[in-house]
Each structure stands twice: as structure tokens, then as C-alpha cells.
Amino acid sequence: MPRDGFGREINYLRISVTDRCNLRCVYCMPLNGLRFLPGPELLTAVEIEQLVRVAVSIGFAKFRLTGGEPTLRADLLEIVARLAAIDGVGDLALTTNALLLPRLAQPLKRAGLKRVNIHLDSLNPATLERQMRWGNFAAVWDGIMAAEAAGLVPIKLNVVVAAGYNEEEAVELARLTLERDWQVRFIELMPLGGGECASLSIQRYVSNIETRRRIETALGALTALEQGDLSDEARNYRLPGARGVVGFISPVSEPYCGTCNRMRLTADGKFHLCLLNDDELDVRKALRSDQGTQALARILRRAVELKPTGHHLLEGRSTQVRSMYQIGG
Ligand code: SAM
Ligand code: SF4
């Protein structure tokens, strides 16, 4: 397994397949001024497969497709099928807003997808529409049900908590775990990309310390679960008598850089070395000039070696070049 310059074992690649989205969450995508990648700049399904084969050959085992909204990629099923067929792809997951899952969940499962993380900020339709803007609670819920029925489990829900939007609703979302075998994970806002979404992410930041207090006050003490996978960015807990798990992803209040095991690939073929820094290494050029698998493996190894550690979120600084929808979370 490749190790970075800080001795961390890096075996997890998150692959963004598009920068487009059918939602405009307030902290992720502005309503105006968006410029999306032209189609020819996106890595093709074949190119993504080539890179994953190289990643597997040097020790990567976990893969996640993300975006933008990955379900908008017309060839998503082909991408999943190509990756699922590779020996050594141990885990293949998808991060999605679930809107298109009623149609896609079964075909994705058949193509070889293992599980999904679904983004849902509120159980209250009005709050959800305010925060995820073009969102529609009933449609997201139908998507979650479709994923569960298709066996894309365990269902993990990602909740981004923003002051003045949904901070009061953490309790109802956590309550879902009492009856359901789901993992509901609360994520702290991160200011990426330097624009209006970054400013909002700073102004509306809510610490997970506060979210946890709110949940425990309403639903009882959370019991810490053993950290099975040390590189899991979530700290996991259980409510009294609950079937599911409540998780906290706290990059600002409790940074987890020391156990980070991730590399990110942008939709236009750059290894983005850390979510919260700007450093990137181009791999598309090598792919398209037919430099061969040895050259691709060298670039990926170099990306791992150069992976930085630490961030400046507490000072309100982060990556300036790309926003969350251009990296994939
Ligand atoms: N569209 C898919 C979705 O929303 O799940 C995948 C891409 S989205 C960029 C991946 C994750 O990033 C989502 O769970 C979303 O909640 C999270 N996210 C977006 N902007 C964020 C921000 N400013 N701070 C923290 N998380 C953010
Ligand atoms: Fe789209 Fe996901 Fe960003 Fe929301 S968080 S705008 S669903 S990419």
C-alpha cells in the first residue's frame, strides 16, 4: 500500500465524475456565475477504468464516485460496471443527493455498486428547499427508499449543519437511527473555493460539539462505538436503544488529518492531493498521450508522496482554486 511523506497509508480514491449538479446547496454551489467543464475535458469511462487499474496495482482498494452529482453522468452505469469488474476493487461506493435513485438504484446495484452515501440536510421540506435550494424532500426520501430496497447498504446519510438553516433539525435526523439501521453523519461546514459559498460556510458554521449537545439533550447520552476503521472520518456513537449510528465528521473542531487515507481525482483528471489545499497533479495529459501504465503509476505514487497534511480552516482559509462541487467532498 502506498505511503505518503508523513507515513500515512493511502488506499482510498474518490473520483469525481462531473462538476454539474441538479441542486444548488447554499454552501456548495452559487446560483450565478457557474462555469462547468466542457464534455471533452471530463475523463471518459475508459480513462477512469485505466486509472483505477493503475491505482489497484499500487495498493488502492477503496473507491468512491462523487461529483457534482454523479448520477447526472449518462454513462454512470458503464463506469460502475467497469470498476466493479476490476480484481482488487474491494469497496465501490457512491455519494449522491439521491434524486435520481428511484430510477438508478437497482441498475447501479446490478452493475456492481456496493453502497451509497446520501446527502440530506433536513426532514422538513421547507428547510430542505431553503438549504438545498432546488431540493424536494419527497424525491430525496424516495431515493433513500430505493437505495435501501436495492440493497445499497448500509445507508449513510450526510447532513451538513448550517446556522440559521437546519441546526435545530439535527435532533429529528438523529432520531431516525432509533428505528432504522442507518448511519446519520453530521458534517461541519468547510469554506472551499473562496467565493460566496465559502463566506457562507464561515458565517454559518456550527461546531459538532454544539450539534452533539443538542442531540444528547433531546435524545439521551450517546455511547461511543469502537473505531473499526481508523481512517473513517466519522466518530461514531449510538443513542440509547438505537438500531443505527450517529456520526460526527468534524474537520474544523476535531481535524483528522493524521489518519487521512484519501486521494481525490477531479472530473478533469487532476489528482487533488488534499480536500483543503490547492495542490494538484495532472494525470489526464499522461492518459491522453498514451504514456502507458508505468507513467500513470509514477504520477499516482508522486501524488501520494506529495500529499500535504494539516489545514487552516480555523483561520478561515482553505482551497481557493476549487469549490466542493469541483472536488467531490
Ligand atoms: N452531490 C453529491 C452529494 O451532495 O452528496 C456528491 C457531491 S457533494 C460535493 C459531497 C458532499 O459534500 C455532500 O455530502 C455535501 O453535503 C458536502 N458538502 C458540500 N459543500 C460542503 C461544505 N461547504 N462543507 C462541508 N460539506 C460540504
Ligand atoms: Fe450538488 Fe452535492 Fe453540492 Fe448539493 S452538495 S450542490 S447536491 S454537489
Side-chain angles (χ1 to χ4, degrees):
M1 199 184 299
R3 277 180 190 271
D4 71 3
F6 301 92
R8 296 173 296 187
E9 289 181 338
I10 311 297
N11 68 347
Y12 179 14
L13 183 61
R14 296 193 185 196
I15 303 167
S16 172
V17 294
T18 179
D19 57 349
R20 290 170 196 260
C21 189
N22 44 2
L23 292 185
R24 291 289 182 275
C25 302
V26 290
Y27 41 73
C28 182
M29 284 178 98
L31 287 176
N32 299 306
L34 286 162
R35 290 180 54 195
F36 297 111
L37 291 165
E41 292 201 13
L42 299 179
L43 294 186
T44 64
V46 172
E47 288 169 336
I48 293 171
E49 179 190 349
Q50 263 177 287
L51 278 181
V52 169
R53 284 189 184 280
V54 167
V56 164
S57 76
I58 69 168
F60 279 74
K62 286 181 68 175
F63 298 87
R64 170 174 300 279
L65 301 175
T66 178
E69 178 44 44
T71 57
L72 294 185
R73 257 301 276 244
D75 57 354
L76 181 66
L77 291 175
E78 180 191 344
I79 296 172
V80 168
R82 284 179 177 276
L83 303 197
I86 299 172
D87 246 3
V89 170
D91 191 17
L92 184 57
L94 178 81
T95 304
T96 172
N97 61 32
L99 287 174
L100 300 180
L101 286 186
R103 168 160 64 80
L104 282 174
Q106 294 282 0
L108 281 168
K109 177 72 182 178
R110 278 197 298 274
L113 188 73
K114 294 230 160 75
R115 55 198 180 84
V116 286
N117 286 23
I118 294 174
H119 177 192
L120 173 70
D121 288 337
S122 174
L123 297 177
N124 175 326
T127 309
L128 183 123
E129 276 171 38
R130 196 171 153 245
Q131 186 162 339
M132 300 175 85
R133 288 200 283 225
W134 304 344
N136 166 338
F137 173 74
V140 178
W141 193 258
D142 286 350
I144 298 171
M145 292 299 132
E148 193 167 42
L152 294 169
V153 292
I155 297 285
K156 294 188 185 181
L157 299 187
N158 289 339
V159 182
V160 178
V161 183
Y165 284 90
N166 65 341
E167 77 270 47
E168 300 290 347
E169 298 183 25
V171 172
E172 290 316 304
L173 284 151
R175 200 191 294 279
L176 289 174
T177 67
L178 294 178
E179 301 294 332
R180 299 172 194 270
D181 182 15
W182 293 354
Q183 299 187 23
V184 178
R185 297 130 43 99
F186 297 92
I187 304 177
E188 290 181 344
L189 277 170
M190 290 171 271
L192 268 73
E196 69 185 66
C197 295
S199 306
L200 183 139
S201 298
I202 293 170
Q203 287 154 13
R204 304 286 180 154
Y205 170 77
V206 180
S207 159
N208 266 339
I209 299 168
E210 189 181 326
T211 300
R212 179 176 173 176
R213 196 176 307 128
R214 197 169 261 124
I215 293 169
E216 290 194 302
T217 303
L219 301 174
L222 286 161
T223 305
L225 300 180
E226 208 172 305
Q227 189 83 7
D229 175 1
L230 290 181
S231 60
D232 184 357
E233 71 263 63
R235 292 288 164 268
N236 294 319
Y237 299 82
R238 206 181 290 282
L239 283 166
R243 290 184 64 208
V245 169
V246 173
F248 296 98
I249 299 178
S250 316
V252 183
S253 67
E254 207 181 329
Y256 39 81
C257 303
T259 55
C260 180
N261 67 341
R262 295 168 200 103
M263 179 57 61
R264 293 174 169 83
L265 178 64
T266 64
D268 57 345
K270 311 277 187 293
F271 286 122
H272 190 91
L273 310 191
C274 161
L275 180 60
L276 302 170
N277 284 281
D278 282 327
D279 309 339
E280 293 190 340
L281 225 59
D282 188 6
V283 70
R284 191 183 64 191
K285 210 159 136 209
L287 265 171
R288 294 195 173 167
S289 55
D290 263 340
Q291 289 185 21
T293 51
Q294 296 302 329
L296 298 176
R298 263 198 307 279
I299 294 172
L300 181 47
R301 280 211 180 84
R302 186 88 188 113
V304 169
E305 275 163 27
L306 291 175
K307 194 174 155 55
T309 190
H311 63 62
H312 303 279
L313 287 178
L314 283 171
E315 298 104 83
R317 278 192 289 131
S318 179
T319 176
Q320 297 293 309
V321 180
R322 294 199 192 245
S323 297
M324 195 63 117
Y325 69 95
Q326 296 166 314
I327 306 175

